[in-house]
Amino acid sequence: MLRKLHGLPSLFMALFLITIATTGAMLSLMPAIHRVHAVVPDKGEVSVAAMAQRIVQHHPNVEKIDRKLSGEVVVYYKTANHQPKADLVNPLTGQSIGPYQPSAFMDWVEDMHRSFLLHDTGRKLAGGVALVMVLICLSGVFLLVRRLGGWKALIKPIKGNGVKRIHSELARFAVLGLLLSSLTGSYMSAMRFGFVKDHTFIPPSFPSSVSGGQPAPVGSLIALKNIDLTSLHELVFPYPGDLQDFYTLTTEQGSGFVDQSTGTLLNFTRLPPMGVFQQWIIRLHTGQGIWWLGLILGASALTVPVLSYTGVLAWWRKRRVKKGDLVNTPSKEADTILLVGTEGQTTWGFAQDLQRQLIRAGRHVHCAQMNQLVEDYPQADTLFILTSTYGNGDAPTTAQQFMNKLTSFKSNASLRFAVLGFGDRQFPNFCQFALDVTTALEQKGLTPLCHTELINRSSAEQFREWGKTVANLTGWPLALSYHPQPTVTQTLALVGREDYGVNGHAATSILRFRAAGTHSLPFFEAGDLLGVMPPQEATARFYSLASSTKDDVLEICVRKQPNGVCSSYLHDLQLGDCIEGFIRHNPEFRPAVGRHPVILIGAGAGIGPLTGFIRQNTQRHPMFLYWGGRNQKVDFLYQPDLTRYLDDQRLTGLQTAFSQGEDQTTEKAYVQDKLLQDQATVRQLLEQGAQILVCGGRGMANGVTQALNDILEPLQTNVDVLKAQGRYLEDVY
Amino acid sequence: MRKYIFLALSLITAFTLSMSAQAREVTFTTHLARYDGSGAYLAIYLADAHGRYRKTIWVAGRNARYYFELPGWARGSRLRPSEYDGMTGASVTSGRTLVVTKNIPDNLINKGYRIVIDSAVENGNSNRADVSTPLTTAGSGKTVMGSVYVLSFRYDLK
């Protein structure tokens, strides 16, 4: 409420406020400039009579002597040929200093200041603006007190940073001056429009009779001798030749008349206390006669454009934060630093979610690439690093200069850090770079906020849990909810299924989908992933695709898991039923292009993408499949297809192993046993530069790794080496 | 009853006739000179042959605190509001023209009375008799020159 009271009028009135303030600042110089030009005798040094006498000696036909609050004395007179003139005079000598010419420009500035050049309408508007300014000042003071936590804090140094701090510091400096200007300005406007009666001038009643004698020299008039120059405002001379006329005198105390012959003071009317008060109001506003106050008020007024700008900026930022925009605070002002190391886009998604939540929690976040690490973050207390790992534990693209820059990084003592690694557990050196960064930061002397969490395969759940840990440690309410999936799913209809299983219970099914309605499928290849969103589930499950765009069908191989939500959902589908799904490309799991042999190893439903690779092998490169199932009779997925591929030489060799023997005669074996049986061939293929692709459960994959390490031993190499060469790929679940 | 109605009607007729016989409509046109400064305050009034104030015709400028600056008129009228009530309007800025139409009693025309204009400008001069010209049928439609803030003045008897 208070904030709105402060912000909304400021926003709407900003242009008027700036106009009044800048013109006011210009006008504020005038009292000081006038003071420089004025010759000001001390109190008691010169009487009005003495000065007037000197002036009439140097000027013909004097009509009026005007003493400004600055001390300047102006004489209005007529030249020999009746032309009106006004001169600045030296009150000590009565001689002219020069013509009195108020600057036309400053008159324009004054007119702009008090009426925006719009006469009475503008004056009313300016009065309103002054009143609004009072409101803004007062609400601003209360806001500042609230922000600093008490009235006493107003005189202490202001903490914080950026735009808000500039705004607060300036406002604190200027608020008294601005309040004085706006209060007195409002009051003057109220006087002008009659809301407050103007007591600054009470016209004295004209004398009913005067002596009518011959005029005496002005220097001899006793009433004028008794008045000190410093209290004079104005002395109007009698009309020449009119013996019934008189001097009209206005001083600080009031006004009256002086008999031009006898010099008696007639009908002097003293200013009421209210009038004296109102005159002070005007002086305090204009700085007239108080040149130093003028300069202070001017300096205060000059802050208004800056206050308007910073105020609007702060308001704009706050608005953006409310809208959930990612406001990036400059590194020097941020209390929270978020650095991102990534190859692609995925990690940025997580970083932005974290940034948004931190901003909501009131943090000033600076988010940048890890490469953009600067030497120090003066305001920061927390450093977050979100990074993936490239290849064999190396820094990803946006973090390659990080370790180098870290050597010249100056950490402040209170800086805590938290590292979040992103990777895939099936690759060696999982999140190795994140771990290296953690070690490096610890060696730099930074305090860990929490353990380094390693997120596997962009797991939204892991990310959410990590957010909870950080929230508990910091007290910031972080509700992390990033799901690294495209929000756009497509409706897919089941067009075909083949069920494999024991006793009519489908253990594994091959499911084929087409785009529902007239839509077409996006581009995909075998080995890419189909993301399936089961109804009422927030997270997608991924299945490797056995088909490619050419086949015009999405084919997946799904084994029913005992308590699997998604696999049960898919298995229960009838032909024509629809699901929501999307494609996630998986270019890491593809056979290399070229003539080198390819060894495909899989078990169970893992055969899906492998079959897809074989189907695409129309160039007949040597391709060998080792596959393990449970039961030869009921589980042999893709048997007819594989037979056909062997015939047309898309598949060079096929070895199957079944773990449940049909009877005592058939041998029980796993896929790794088949590999060991064929180890001479396998070695030979690997020596020819063969590539291995493994797809299936983790247990099978581990067994395969062991077997291959044994097979590779004579070659003095192992699976890790092959992985590093990109010749050993896994799609393991 | 009928007698009273006749009396009232004849009185009204006589009054109307006497009004039309005793006053004339006069248009006063004042052109201001070009000068630096804000709107000028003007007092247009009638004075007798000795220069003594007789009657206010028009006051341009609404803020009564500046009326004191119109020297001859202020002294003559003694700034009694009854002297100028209903005869005031806006001040006149540099180069503009003020046109005022008033009924002037016949007994003030061709009887030695003068039309006088005092003028004053904030931070400028206060002028007694910026314009001073006799009110006569012969002077009607003739332009006279002002001396300070008034450039020229004329009046037209209808």
Side-chain angles (χ1 to χ4, degrees):
Chain A
M1 177 60 199
L2 193 58
R3 192 176 294 282
K4 275 195 182 147
L5 198 66
H6 185 69
L8 284 181
S10 314
L11 202 64
F12 287 116
M13 293 284 191
L15 273 184
F16 293 117
L17 286 169
I18 291 171
T19 308
I20 293 189
T22 40
T23 50
M26 289 162 86
L27 292 169
S28 74
L29 296 174
M30 299 319 285
I33 292 172
H34 288 150
R35 181 65 188 77
V36 171
H37 289 293
V39 178
V40 185
D42 288 335
K43 203 167 184 163
E45 200 180 333
V46 183
S47 72
V48 172
M51 178 195 67
Q53 189 61 49
R54 287 171 205 151
I55 289 174
V56 295
Q57 277 164 13
H58 291 97
H59 298 84
N61 311 319
V62 171
E63 289 181 337
K64 183 166 81 174
I65 296 169
D66 192 4
R67 185 178 181 274
K68 309 279 178 191
L69 286 168
S70 60
E72 288 174 307
V73 177
V74 180
V75 58
Y76 295 84
Y77 63 101
K78 291 239 167 69
T79 59
N81 49 2
H82 305 290
Q83 282 309 299
K85 276 200 78 176
D87 278 4
L88 267 176
V89 293
N90 180 336
L92 296 174
T93 64
Q95 282 173 320
S96 277
I97 298 169
Y100 174 66
Q101 275 174 328
S103 145
F105 173 69
M106 287 317 291
D107 281 353
W108 182 86
V109 170
E110 188 177 345
D111 208 16
M112 185 59 113
H113 180 73
R114 64 185 181 189
S115 71
F116 308 109
L117 312 179
L118 294 173
H119 309 292
D120 265 7
T121 321
R123 277 178 184 256
K124 283 175 192 160
L125 183 60
V129 173
L131 203 62
V132 168
M133 188 68 188
V134 175
L135 207 71
I136 293 171
C137 286
L138 292 177
S139 55
V141 167
F142 283 110
L143 274 177
L144 192 59
V145 167
R146 202 167 71 179
R147 184 174 163 223
L148 298 180
W151 289 93
K152 278 184 188 161
L154 270 182
I155 49 166
K156 291 179 188 155
I158 295 179
K159 283 181 200 147
N161 46 51
V163 161
K164 263 189 171 171
R165 185 184 174 159
I166 297 173
H167 194 84
S168 307
E169 290 271 18
L170 271 183
R172 185 173 65 170
F173 158 80
V175 72
L176 282 181
L178 292 176
L179 254 181
L180 186 62
S181 290
S182 52
L183 272 173
T184 50
S186 309
Y187 190 88
M188 283 163 70
S189 185
M191 266 164 67
R192 159 95 193 179
F193 290 105
F195 295 112
V196 175
K197 197 170 182 298
D198 185 346
H199 292 283
T200 55
F201 180 73
I202 308 293
S205 53
F206 290 106
S208 48
S209 66
V210 291
S211 68
Q214 278 306 307
V218 65
S220 69
L221 300 175
I222 181 74
L224 298 184
K225 279 183 169 175
N226 289 338
I227 293 167
D228 191 72
L229 173 61
T230 52
S231 65
L232 177 72
H233 283 181
E234 193 183 76
L235 179 66
V236 181
F237 280 57
Y239 196 62
D242 183 350
L243 296 180
Q244 298 299 311
D245 207 356
F246 29 74
Y247 289 90
T248 308
L249 174 75
T250 309
T251 67
E252 246 171 30
Q253 289 75 36
S255 20
F257 307 96
V258 177
D259 191 302
Q260 57 175 320
S261 172
T262 64
T264 9
L265 190 60
L266 305 164
N267 295 7
F268 192 81
T269 311
R270 292 190 78 81
L271 211 55
M274 193 59 186
V276 177
F277 167 77
Q278 289 176 339
Q279 275 195 344
W280 271 102
I281 292 281
I282 295 170
R283 279 190 211 188
L284 290 175
H285 187 83
T286 58
Q288 279 172 1
I290 326 172
W291 60 271
W292 52 268
L293 178 70
L295 294 183
I296 291 174
L297 295 184
S300 306
L302 274 182
T303 63
V304 170
V306 188
L307 286 174
S308 305
Y309 178 71
T310 51
V312 168
L313 215 61
W315 168 82
W316 183 245
R317 284 198 185 163
K318 198 168 177 65
R319 205 179 112 91
R320 283 179 60 196
V321 168
K322 246 190 203 162
K323 275 172 59 189
D325 284 6
L326 292 173
V327 182
N328 210 1
T329 309
S331 66
K332 285 202 178 347
E333 297 166 13
D335 51 25
T336 309
I337 310 297
L338 207 169
L339 299 178
V340 181
T342 180
E343 283 293 314
Q345 286 299 313
T346 326
T347 313
W348 282 114
F350 286 99
Q352 282 170 1
D353 191 34
L354 176 60
Q355 188 182 6
R356 188 171 289 119
Q357 292 295 324
L358 286 166
I359 290 169
R360 284 236 175 100
R363 306 292 295 175
H364 300 96
V365 186
H366 173 72
C367 180
Q369 293 185 6
M370 286 174 77
N371 283 339
Q372 290 166 332
L373 179 82
V374 296
E375 270 193 16
D376 72 326
Y377 299 102
Q379 307 282 344
D381 55 34
T382 312
L383 167 68
F384 288 103
I385 290 186
L386 274 62
T387 183
S388 60
T389 298
Y390 179 71
N392 198 14
D394 295 331
T397 313
T398 67
Q400 278 165 359
Q401 298 152 39
F402 178 79
M403 288 300 198
N404 217 349
K405 287 196 171 176
L406 192 62
T407 51
S408 52
F409 177 71
K410 295 180 197 75
S411 161
N412 55 34
S414 60
L415 193 61
R416 308 171 290 183
F417 76 93
V419 175
L420 195 55
F422 291 85
D424 190 333
R425 281 200 186 277
Q426 66 175 302
F427 289 101
N429 300 322
F430 171 58
C431 288
Q432 187 57 51
F433 182 65
L435 297 171
D436 293 348
V437 167
T438 305
T439 314
L441 290 175
E442 276 169 352
Q443 280 170 0
K444 259 300 190 190
L446 275 73
T447 326
L449 174 69
C450 57
H451 69 278
T452 295
E453 178 74 26
L454 306 178
I455 306 274
N456 185 33
R457 284 193 161 195
S458 305
S459 161
E461 258 178 61
Q462 251 186 303
F463 184 55
R464 195 165 55 234
E465 287 306 313
W466 175 80
K468 281 183 191 164
T469 311
V470 174
N472 284 337
L473 288 167
T474 56
W476 307 330
L478 300 179
L480 301 180
S481 60
Y482 182 68
H483 291 293
Q485 74 206 3
T487 45
V488 188
T489 59
Q490 195 174 0
T491 307
L492 304 167
L494 186 69
V495 293
R497 62 182 292 167
E498 288 169 34
D499 299 323
Y500 296 80
V502 192
N503 303 331
H505 292 289
T508 308
S509 293
I510 297 169
L511 305 172
R512 299 190 181 90
F513 295 94
R514 283 220 173 88
T518 54
H519 297 279
S520 56
L521 291 169
F523 177 80
F524 60 95
E525 285 187 72
D528 282 345
L529 304 170
L530 173 67
V532 177
M533 300 284 287
Q536 276 106 44
E537 288 284 308
T539 32
R541 311 294 197 281
F542 292 93
Y543 299 91
S544 297
L545 281 162
S547 60
S548 65
T549 311
K550 270 186 282 184
D551 304 314
D552 198 29
V553 71
L554 287 161
E555 186 176 295
I556 53 172
C557 201
V558 183
R559 184 176 130 82
K560 187 168 178 174
Q561 305 292 328
N563 293 310
V565 176
C566 197
S567 61
S568 305
Y569 164 65
L570 289 172
H571 271 259
D572 291 346
L573 292 174
Q574 306 289 320
L575 286 181
D577 285 353
C578 289
I579 61 161
E580 289 299 311
F582 58 92
I583 302 289
R584 161 100 63 89
H585 294 289
N586 187 22
E588 291 81 20
F589 191 68
R590 297 264 157 84
V593 182
R595 302 194 146 269
H596 295 296
V598 176
I599 303 170
L600 305 169
I601 304 167
I607 195 173
L610 305 181
T611 308
F613 298 146
I614 299 165
R615 192 181 289 157
Q616 282 179 341
N617 183 25
T618 48
Q619 295 190 296
R620 273 80 178 169
H621 295 311
M623 209 171 247
F624 300 84
L625 174 63
Y626 289 85
W627 178 71
R630 289 195 178 177
N631 187 304
Q632 185 161 14
K633 282 222 170 114
V634 296
D635 262 353
F636 199 166
L637 300 162
Y638 290 108
Q639 190 178 21
D641 306 69
L642 292 172
T643 314
R644 197 167 76 243
Y645 301 149
L646 278 170
D647 286 349
D648 67 15
Q649 289 171 5
R650 277 188 267 186
L651 183 61
T652 318
L654 172 66
Q655 285 286 5
T656 54
F658 293 95
S659 57
Q660 293 174 355
E662 184 71 1
D663 50 53
Q664 297 301 316
T665 56
T666 45
E667 145 201 46
K668 293 179 191 173
Y670 292 99
V671 68
Q672 53 267 43
D673 301 330
K674 290 289 169 187
L675 284 169
L676 287 167
Q677 273 177 22
D678 282 0
Q679 59 177 287
T681 319
V682 171
R683 258 197 302 274
Q684 201 184 344
L685 289 172
L686 286 167
E687 277 180 318
Q688 290 169 19
Q691 186 192 26
I692 298 175
L693 285 89
V694 183
C695 187
R698 177 154 297 283
M700 181 273 308
N702 287 343
V704 167
T705 306
Q706 256 176 25
L708 281 170
N709 275 339
D710 290 349
I711 293 167
L712 288 167
E713 212 180 342
L715 300 178
Q716 289 170 350
T717 181
N718 57 38
V719 167
D720 285 346
V721 173
L722 291 181
K723 275 184 180 173
Q725 293 170 346
R727 287 170 61 197
Y728 191 96
L729 308 179
E730 283 179 323
D731 186 5
V732 176
Y733 39 84
Chain B
M1 188 62 192
R2 186 177 291 173
K3 207 193 270 178
Y4 287 118
I5 292 173
F6 178 75
L7 186 64
L9 277 175
S10 53
L11 272 172
I12 290 168
T13 314
F15 187 72
T16 317
L17 281 172
S18 72
M19 279 291 286
S20 62
Q22 287 178 2
R24 282 184 78 169
E25 197 179 279
V26 185
T27 303
F28 304 87
T29 308
T30 314
H31 293 287
L32 283 210
R34 298 219 165 259
Y35 61 89
D36 294 330
S38 51
Y41 272 56
L42 303 174
I44 307 176
Y45 58 101
L46 288 175
D48 65 17
H50 307 288
R52 278 192 295 263
Y53 168 87
R54 172 68 192 251
K55 182 180 167 57
T56 301
I57 295 170
W58 190 254
V59 181
R62 287 206 171 90
N63 195 339
R65 72 165 288 177
Y66 299 117
Y67 290 176
F68 199 78
E69 304 281 331
L70 299 162
W73 175 74
R75 282 158 176 69
S77 69
R78 297 193 156 257
L79 297 179
R80 287 188 195 108
S82 58
E83 290 287 321
Y84 57 81
D85 272 352
M87 292 175 230
T88 61
S91 61
V92 190
T93 48
S94 160
R96 296 296 185 91
T97 302
L98 171 72
V99 180
V100 178
T101 301
K102 289 271 288 189
N103 281 324
I104 300 294
D106 271 345
N107 59 10
L108 296 176
I109 302 168
N110 295 325
K111 294 288 189 316
Y113 286 99
R114 302 180 74 82
I115 304 167
V116 182
I117 303 180
D118 287 2
S119 62
V121 167
E122 189 186 356
N123 287 324
N125 292 66
S126 294
N127 307 288
R128 188 194 269 212
D130 198 337
V131 169
S132 176
T133 184
L135 175 60
T136 59
T137 37
S140 171
K142 297 213 170 93
T143 299
V144 293
M145 303 309 283
S147 51
V148 189
Y149 295 116
V150 178
L151 178 68
S152 67
F153 170 79
R154 70 177 237 193
Y155 60 91
D156 295 276
L157 297 172
K158 201 172 181 184

